[in-house]
Amino acid sequence: MKLTTIHAVPLAYFLEVAQSGSLSAASANLHVAVSAISRQVARLEADLGVTLFERESRGMRLTEAGRVVQQYGRRAFLEAQTLQAELQGAGNLDHSTVRIACTDGFARDYMPYTMALFQRRHPGVDFVLEVCAPDHATQMVRDGAVDIALAFVVAPQDGIEVLYSEIAPIYAYVDRKHPLAALKRATLREVAAYPLVAPTPDNFVRRLFDLACGVEGLQPRILLTSNSLSALVGYQAYADVVYLTGSLAVRNNQRAERRVLVPIATSAMQQRALQLQAMAGRKLSPAVRAFAEFLIEDMGGRRRSVPVPKPRLAGR
């Protein structure tokens, strides 16, 4: 049987079971009887001639074939929405919604800035912004929960189309009167010699910094650790500390905050790539395409792409 003949209802029920992990959870979410959902999933399996789930005591687990159908189903429903938008609007962006995921650093200023600027040109576009960790942002794109994501990666991502990519070094962000501000480039030892604020150890910037310091035998003084980047930047307004960040996240605030970015001369601080991501194989709606192109132009990409850097530590 060809995938193009899959009926919408069995596919929709299958996707809900795959997302929620059980027939009972899918029933509660859809307000449909468990027996009806089970029959539709069984029908889909019979039509395709494959097993989509492993039935377990604690729920339903996708088989390899199930994961393939899940990806197809997500794209199919999303592209149906895109087709409807194109037919109704014929390229008009009015009454459109763009769903984005990004990390906390971009949510503080960069994404609000670009969204507001875009809406001045296209007032009919609304946004939904999800703030989360980079790997979760990427997963939301795969799941179709968002249209695009702005996230950091260190390795290629399955199921993702990279619309734009650039190397994203980590800088020391300091007050203009800080001793590091006079340097064109600082060593990791010079940065670690001053008090810092840093995100929690699960943050990728923190992991890179801790690993690099461990290799060089450094023990930096971290005055504040927080899972809120806004709290770290806010603390920096009252204490003369070093904050580790990428350039794009603070690009619009440097002058107002009277701070400068100082490059850190170690390869460990240059292992990240910043990517604008979309679901592989998905046709984006006119509004999403327009905003993605707007972001790419703003970041200076002109649709160029660079490879993800291979992880390595200084001195190796």
Side-chain angles (χ1 to χ4, degrees), residues 100 102-120 129 131 150 173 229-231 233 243 245-257 291 294-295 298-299:
I100 313 161
C102 73
T103 57
D104 192 16
F106 291 119
R108 177 175 174 256
D109 178 78
Y110 182 72
M111 287 308 304
Y113 159 78
T114 52
M115 290 186 296
L117 196 59
F118 184 81
Q119 284 172 323
R120 292 179 190 173
L129 180 64
V131 181
L150 197 59
Y173 191 51
L229 299 188
S230 295
V233 174
Y243 171 57
T245 184
S247 61
L248 193 60
V250 297
R251 185 188 68 182
N252 300 324
N253 294 325
Q254 284 181 255
R255 179 173 297 180
E257 295 176 349
F291 185 64
F294 183 81
L295 279 175
D298 183 76
M299 291 185 288

Short mmCIF file of all heavy atoms in Angstrom, two decimals, residues 100 102-120 129 131 150 173 229-231 233 243 245-257 291 294-295 298-299:
data_model
loop_
_atom_site.label_atom_id
_atom_site.label_comp_id
_atom_site.label_asym_id
_atom_site.label_seq_id
_atom_site.Cartn_x
_atom_site.Cartn_y
_atom_site.Cartn_z
N ILE A 100 8.27 29.31 17.21
CA ILE A 100 9.73 29.29 17.29
C ILE A 100 10.17 28.72 18.63
O ILE A 100 9.52 28.94 19.66
CB ILE A 100 10.31 30.72 17.16
CG1 ILE A 100 9.68 31.46 15.99
CG2 ILE A 100 11.83 30.69 17.01
CD1 ILE A 100 9.84 32.95 16.08
N CYS A 102 13.79 28.62 21.03
CA CYS A 102 15.14 29.14 21.16
C CYS A 102 15.61 28.97 22.59
O CYS A 102 14.84 28.64 23.48
CB CYS A 102 15.21 30.61 20.72
SG CYS A 102 14.48 31.78 21.88
N THR A 103 16.88 29.23 22.81
CA THR A 103 17.45 29.13 24.15
C THR A 103 17.21 30.42 24.93
O THR A 103 16.82 31.45 24.38
CB THR A 103 18.95 28.85 24.07
OG1 THR A 103 19.58 29.90 23.30
CG2 THR A 103 19.22 27.52 23.38
N ASP A 104 17.45 30.34 26.24
CA ASP A 104 17.20 31.47 27.14
C ASP A 104 17.98 32.71 26.73
O ASP A 104 17.49 33.84 26.83
CB ASP A 104 17.57 31.03 28.56
CG ASP A 104 17.08 32.02 29.61
OD1 ASP A 104 16.21 32.85 29.29
OD2 ASP A 104 17.56 31.95 30.75
N GLY A 105 19.20 32.52 26.26
CA GLY A 105 20.03 33.66 25.89
C GLY A 105 19.42 34.48 24.77
O GLY A 105 19.45 35.72 24.79
N PHE A 106 18.82 33.82 23.78
CA PHE A 106 18.20 34.54 22.67
C PHE A 106 16.85 35.13 23.06
O PHE A 106 16.40 36.10 22.46
CB PHE A 106 18.03 33.61 21.46
CG PHE A 106 19.32 33.23 20.82
CD1 PHE A 106 19.72 31.91 20.76
CD2 PHE A 106 20.16 34.19 20.28
CE1 PHE A 106 20.92 31.55 20.17
CE2 PHE A 106 21.36 33.85 19.69
CZ PHE A 106 21.74 32.53 19.64
N ALA A 107 16.19 34.52 24.06
CA ALA A 107 14.87 35.00 24.47
C ALA A 107 14.95 36.32 25.21
O ALA A 107 13.96 37.06 25.28
CB ALA A 107 14.19 33.95 25.35
N ARG A 108 16.11 36.62 25.78
CA ARG A 108 16.23 37.86 26.58
C ARG A 108 16.09 39.10 25.72
O ARG A 108 15.40 40.04 26.10
CB ARG A 108 17.59 37.86 27.29
CG ARG A 108 17.86 39.14 28.08
CD ARG A 108 19.16 39.05 28.86
NE ARG A 108 19.47 40.31 29.49
CZ ARG A 108 20.40 41.16 29.06
NH1 ARG A 108 21.12 40.87 28.00
NH2 ARG A 108 20.63 42.30 29.68
N ASP A 109 16.70 39.11 24.54
CA ASP A 109 16.63 40.32 23.72
C ASP A 109 16.54 40.03 22.23
O ASP A 109 15.73 40.62 21.53
CB ASP A 109 17.85 41.21 23.98
CG ASP A 109 17.84 42.46 23.11
OD1 ASP A 109 17.10 43.40 23.45
OD2 ASP A 109 18.55 42.49 22.08
N TYR A 110 17.35 39.11 21.73
CA TYR A 110 17.48 38.97 20.28
C TYR A 110 16.17 38.58 19.61
O TYR A 110 15.75 39.19 18.62
CB TYR A 110 18.57 37.97 19.92
CG TYR A 110 18.73 37.85 18.42
CD1 TYR A 110 19.30 38.90 17.70
CD2 TYR A 110 18.26 36.74 17.73
CE1 TYR A 110 19.41 38.83 16.32
CE2 TYR A 110 18.36 36.66 16.36
CZ TYR A 110 18.94 37.72 15.65
OH TYR A 110 19.03 37.65 14.29
N MET A 111 15.49 37.55 20.11
CA MET A 111 14.25 37.13 19.47
C MET A 111 13.14 38.18 19.63
O MET A 111 12.42 38.46 18.67
CB MET A 111 13.79 35.77 20.01
CG MET A 111 14.63 34.60 19.52
SD MET A 111 14.82 34.53 17.71
CE MET A 111 13.12 34.49 17.18
N PRO A 112 12.96 38.79 20.83
CA PRO A 112 11.97 39.88 20.90
C PRO A 112 12.25 41.00 19.90
O PRO A 112 11.31 41.54 19.30
CB PRO A 112 12.10 40.37 22.35
CG PRO A 112 12.55 39.16 23.10
CD PRO A 112 13.48 38.45 22.17
N TYR A 113 13.52 41.33 19.73
CA TYR A 113 13.91 42.39 18.79
C TYR A 113 13.53 42.01 17.36
O TYR A 113 12.89 42.79 16.64
CB TYR A 113 15.42 42.64 18.91
CG TYR A 113 16.04 43.30 17.70
CD1 TYR A 113 15.91 44.66 17.48
CD2 TYR A 113 16.77 42.55 16.79
CE1 TYR A 113 16.48 45.27 16.37
CE2 TYR A 113 17.35 43.13 15.68
CZ TYR A 113 17.19 44.50 15.46
OH TYR A 113 17.75 45.09 14.37
N THR A 114 13.91 40.81 16.92
CA THR A 114 13.66 40.42 15.53
C THR A 114 12.16 40.19 15.27
O THR A 114 11.67 40.53 14.19
CB THR A 114 14.45 39.16 15.16
OG1 THR A 114 14.22 38.13 16.13
CG2 THR A 114 15.94 39.45 15.09
N MET A 115 11.44 39.65 16.25
CA MET A 115 10.00 39.46 16.06
C MET A 115 9.28 40.79 15.92
O MET A 115 8.44 40.97 15.04
CB MET A 115 9.43 38.64 17.22
CG MET A 115 9.87 37.19 17.22
SD MET A 115 9.06 36.17 18.50
CE MET A 115 9.68 36.94 20.00
N ALA A 116 9.60 41.73 16.80
CA ALA A 116 8.95 43.04 16.75
C ALA A 116 9.28 43.77 15.45
O ALA A 116 8.41 44.41 14.84
CB ALA A 116 9.37 43.88 17.95
N LEU A 117 10.53 43.68 15.01
CA LEU A 117 10.94 44.34 13.77
C LEU A 117 10.23 43.72 12.57
O LEU A 117 9.78 44.43 11.66
CB LEU A 117 12.46 44.22 13.60
CG LEU A 117 13.12 45.14 12.58
CD1 LEU A 117 12.87 46.60 12.93
CD2 LEU A 117 14.62 44.85 12.51
N PHE A 118 10.09 42.40 12.58
CA PHE A 118 9.40 41.71 11.48
C PHE A 118 7.93 42.11 11.44
O PHE A 118 7.35 42.30 10.37
CB PHE A 118 9.54 40.20 11.66
CG PHE A 118 8.94 39.39 10.55
CD1 PHE A 118 9.63 39.20 9.36
CD2 PHE A 118 7.68 38.81 10.69
CE1 PHE A 118 9.08 38.45 8.33
CE2 PHE A 118 7.13 38.06 9.67
CZ PHE A 118 7.83 37.88 8.48
N GLN A 119 7.31 42.24 12.62
CA GLN A 119 5.89 42.59 12.68
C GLN A 119 5.61 44.02 12.22
O GLN A 119 4.49 44.33 11.82
CB GLN A 119 5.36 42.38 14.10
CG GLN A 119 5.15 40.90 14.43
CD GLN A 119 4.81 40.67 15.88
OE1 GLN A 119 5.35 41.34 16.77
NE2 GLN A 119 3.93 39.72 16.15
N ARG A 120 6.61 44.88 12.26
CA ARG A 120 6.42 46.22 11.71
C ARG A 120 6.20 46.14 10.20
O ARG A 120 5.44 46.93 9.64
CB ARG A 120 7.65 47.09 12.00
CG ARG A 120 7.83 47.44 13.47
CD ARG A 120 9.07 48.27 13.68
NE ARG A 120 9.39 48.43 15.09
CZ ARG A 120 10.49 49.00 15.55
NH1 ARG A 120 11.39 49.50 14.68
NH2 ARG A 120 10.72 49.09 16.85
N LEU A 129 6.56 31.72 21.06
CA LEU A 129 7.96 31.49 21.36
C LEU A 129 8.10 30.51 22.52
O LEU A 129 7.57 30.75 23.61
CB LEU A 129 8.66 32.80 21.72
CG LEU A 129 10.15 32.72 22.05
CD1 LEU A 129 10.95 32.24 20.84
CD2 LEU A 129 10.67 34.06 22.55
N VAL A 131 10.84 28.72 25.01
CA VAL A 131 12.21 28.89 25.50
C VAL A 131 12.62 27.60 26.20
O VAL A 131 11.96 27.15 27.14
CB VAL A 131 12.31 30.08 26.46
CG1 VAL A 131 13.74 30.26 26.95
CG2 VAL A 131 11.81 31.36 25.77
N LEU A 150 16.14 28.18 16.83
CA LEU A 150 17.47 28.79 16.85
C LEU A 150 18.21 28.13 18.01
O LEU A 150 17.87 28.36 19.17
CB LEU A 150 17.37 30.30 17.05
CG LEU A 150 18.59 31.16 16.69
CD1 LEU A 150 18.98 30.97 15.23
CD2 LEU A 150 18.33 32.62 16.99
N TYR A 173 32.13 38.46 28.51
CA TYR A 173 31.34 39.70 28.43
C TYR A 173 31.60 40.48 29.72
O TYR A 173 31.24 40.02 30.81
CB TYR A 173 29.87 39.33 28.29
CG TYR A 173 28.93 40.46 27.95
CD1 TYR A 173 29.18 41.31 26.88
CD2 TYR A 173 27.77 40.66 28.70
CE1 TYR A 173 28.29 42.32 26.56
CE2 TYR A 173 26.87 41.67 28.38
CZ TYR A 173 27.14 42.50 27.30
OH TYR A 173 26.25 43.51 26.98
N LEU A 229 19.57 32.88 32.65
CA LEU A 229 20.59 33.78 32.11
C LEU A 229 20.24 35.23 32.40
O LEU A 229 21.14 36.07 32.56
CB LEU A 229 20.73 33.55 30.61
CG LEU A 229 21.15 32.14 30.18
CD1 LEU A 229 21.43 32.11 28.68
CD2 LEU A 229 22.38 31.67 30.95
N SER A 230 18.97 35.55 32.51
CA SER A 230 18.57 36.91 32.86
C SER A 230 19.07 37.27 34.25
O SER A 230 19.48 38.40 34.51
CB SER A 230 17.05 37.05 32.79
OG SER A 230 16.60 36.88 31.46
N ALA A 231 19.03 36.29 35.17
CA ALA A 231 19.52 36.55 36.53
C ALA A 231 21.03 36.79 36.52
O ALA A 231 21.54 37.65 37.25
CB ALA A 231 19.19 35.36 37.43
N VAL A 233 22.87 38.02 34.01
CA VAL A 233 23.13 39.34 33.44
C VAL A 233 22.69 40.42 34.42
O VAL A 233 23.36 41.46 34.57
CB VAL A 233 22.40 39.50 32.09
CG1 VAL A 233 22.54 40.93 31.56
CG2 VAL A 233 22.95 38.52 31.07
N TYR A 243 30.94 37.36 32.46
CA TYR A 243 29.79 36.56 32.02
C TYR A 243 30.17 35.92 30.69
O TYR A 243 30.65 36.60 29.78
CB TYR A 243 28.56 37.45 31.90
CG TYR A 243 27.36 36.81 31.26
CD1 TYR A 243 26.81 35.64 31.78
CD2 TYR A 243 26.76 37.38 30.14
CE1 TYR A 243 25.69 35.06 31.21
CE2 TYR A 243 25.64 36.82 29.56
CZ TYR A 243 25.11 35.66 30.10
OH TYR A 243 24.00 35.09 29.52
N THR A 245 29.24 34.27 27.15
CA THR A 245 28.09 34.31 26.24
C THR A 245 28.54 34.33 24.79
O THR A 245 29.72 34.55 24.49
CB THR A 245 27.24 35.57 26.52
OG1 THR A 245 26.07 35.56 25.70
CG2 THR A 245 28.03 36.84 26.24
N GLY A 246 27.60 34.09 23.89
CA GLY A 246 27.84 34.30 22.47
C GLY A 246 27.57 35.74 22.10
O GLY A 246 26.94 36.50 22.86
N SER A 247 28.01 36.15 20.92
CA SER A 247 27.91 37.57 20.55
C SER A 247 26.48 37.97 20.17
O SER A 247 26.04 39.08 20.49
CB SER A 247 28.85 37.87 19.39
OG SER A 247 28.52 37.08 18.25
N LEU A 248 25.74 37.09 19.50
CA LEU A 248 24.42 37.47 19.00
C LEU A 248 23.45 37.75 20.14
O LEU A 248 22.60 38.64 20.05
CB LEU A 248 23.87 36.35 18.11
CG LEU A 248 22.64 36.69 17.26
CD1 LEU A 248 22.95 37.84 16.31
CD2 LEU A 248 22.17 35.47 16.49
N ALA A 249 23.57 37.01 21.23
CA ALA A 249 22.63 37.15 22.34
C ALA A 249 22.68 38.54 22.98
O ALA A 249 21.68 39.01 23.54
CB ALA A 249 22.89 36.08 23.39
N VAL A 250 23.85 39.19 22.93
CA VAL A 250 23.99 40.50 23.59
C VAL A 250 24.27 41.62 22.60
O VAL A 250 24.57 42.74 22.99
CB VAL A 250 25.12 40.46 24.65
CG1 VAL A 250 24.78 39.47 25.75
CG2 VAL A 250 26.48 40.11 24.02
N ARG A 251 24.14 41.31 21.31
CA ARG A 251 24.51 42.27 20.27
C ARG A 251 23.84 43.62 20.42
O ARG A 251 24.47 44.67 20.26
CB ARG A 251 24.14 41.68 18.90
CG ARG A 251 24.61 42.53 17.73
CD ARG A 251 24.06 42.00 16.42
NE ARG A 251 22.60 42.17 16.34
CZ ARG A 251 21.87 41.76 15.31
NH1 ARG A 251 22.46 41.11 14.31
NH2 ARG A 251 20.57 41.96 15.29
N ASN A 252 22.56 43.64 20.78
CA ASN A 252 21.82 44.89 20.83
C ASN A 252 21.97 45.63 22.15
O ASN A 252 21.49 46.76 22.28
CB ASN A 252 20.32 44.62 20.59
CG ASN A 252 20.07 43.99 19.24
OD1 ASN A 252 20.73 44.30 18.26
ND2 ASN A 252 19.10 43.09 19.18
N ASN A 253 22.62 45.00 23.13
CA ASN A 253 22.68 45.58 24.47
C ASN A 253 24.06 46.09 24.88
O ASN A 253 24.19 46.71 25.93
CB ASN A 253 22.24 44.55 25.51
CG ASN A 253 20.78 44.18 25.36
OD1 ASN A 253 19.97 45.01 25.02
ND2 ASN A 253 20.46 42.92 25.59
N GLN A 254 25.07 45.82 24.08
CA GLN A 254 26.44 46.16 24.50
C GLN A 254 26.60 47.64 24.82
O GLN A 254 27.16 48.00 25.85
CB GLN A 254 27.44 45.75 23.42
CG GLN A 254 27.71 44.26 23.36
CD GLN A 254 28.72 43.92 22.29
OE1 GLN A 254 28.39 43.41 21.24
NE2 GLN A 254 29.98 44.23 22.56
N ARG A 255 26.12 48.49 23.94
CA ARG A 255 26.30 49.93 24.16
C ARG A 255 25.53 50.40 25.38
O ARG A 255 26.06 51.11 26.23
CB ARG A 255 25.86 50.70 22.92
CG ARG A 255 26.00 52.21 23.07
CD ARG A 255 25.71 52.93 21.78
NE ARG A 255 26.68 52.57 20.75
CZ ARG A 255 26.65 53.06 19.50
NH1 ARG A 255 25.70 53.91 19.15
NH2 ARG A 255 27.56 52.69 18.62
N ALA A 256 24.27 49.96 25.49
CA ALA A 256 23.45 50.39 26.63
C ALA A 256 24.00 49.88 27.95
O ALA A 256 23.94 50.58 28.97
CB ALA A 256 22.01 49.91 26.43
N GLU A 257 24.53 48.67 27.95
CA GLU A 257 25.06 48.09 29.18
C GLU A 257 26.52 48.45 29.42
O GLU A 257 27.09 48.06 30.44
CB GLU A 257 24.90 46.57 29.13
CG GLU A 257 23.44 46.13 29.11
CD GLU A 257 23.28 44.63 28.97
OE1 GLU A 257 24.28 43.94 28.68
OE2 GLU A 257 22.16 44.13 29.16
N PHE A 291 9.88 34.75 7.69
CA PHE A 291 10.59 35.09 8.92
C PHE A 291 11.95 34.41 8.97
O PHE A 291 12.92 35.01 9.45
CB PHE A 291 9.76 34.69 10.15
CG PHE A 291 10.40 35.12 11.45
CD1 PHE A 291 10.59 36.46 11.73
CD2 PHE A 291 10.84 34.18 12.37
CE1 PHE A 291 11.19 36.87 12.91
CE2 PHE A 291 11.45 34.57 13.55
CZ PHE A 291 11.62 35.92 13.83
N PHE A 294 14.19 36.47 6.99
CA PHE A 294 14.46 37.70 7.74
C PHE A 294 15.55 37.45 8.78
O PHE A 294 16.47 38.27 8.94
CB PHE A 294 13.16 38.16 8.40
CG PHE A 294 13.29 39.46 9.14
CD1 PHE A 294 13.23 40.67 8.48
CD2 PHE A 294 13.43 39.47 10.53
CE1 PHE A 294 13.33 41.87 9.18
CE2 PHE A 294 13.53 40.66 11.22
CZ PHE A 294 13.48 41.86 10.55
N LEU A 295 15.46 36.34 9.51
CA LEU A 295 16.48 35.99 10.49
C LEU A 295 17.84 35.78 9.84
O LEU A 295 18.87 36.25 10.33
CB LEU A 295 16.08 34.72 11.25
CG LEU A 295 15.08 34.84 12.40
CD1 LEU A 295 14.73 33.47 12.93
CD2 LEU A 295 15.64 35.71 13.51
N ASP A 298 19.30 39.02 8.92
CA ASP A 298 19.74 39.77 10.11
C ASP A 298 21.03 39.20 10.69
O ASP A 298 21.89 39.94 11.14
CB ASP A 298 18.64 39.73 11.18
CG ASP A 298 19.01 40.56 12.39
OD1 ASP A 298 18.92 41.80 12.30
OD2 ASP A 298 19.40 39.98 13.42
N MET A 299 21.16 37.87 10.67
CA MET A 299 22.38 37.26 11.20
C MET A 299 23.54 37.35 10.22
O MET A 299 24.66 36.96 10.54
CB MET A 299 22.11 35.79 11.55
CG MET A 299 21.18 35.62 12.75
SD MET A 299 20.97 33.89 13.27
CE MET A 299 19.95 33.25 11.95
#
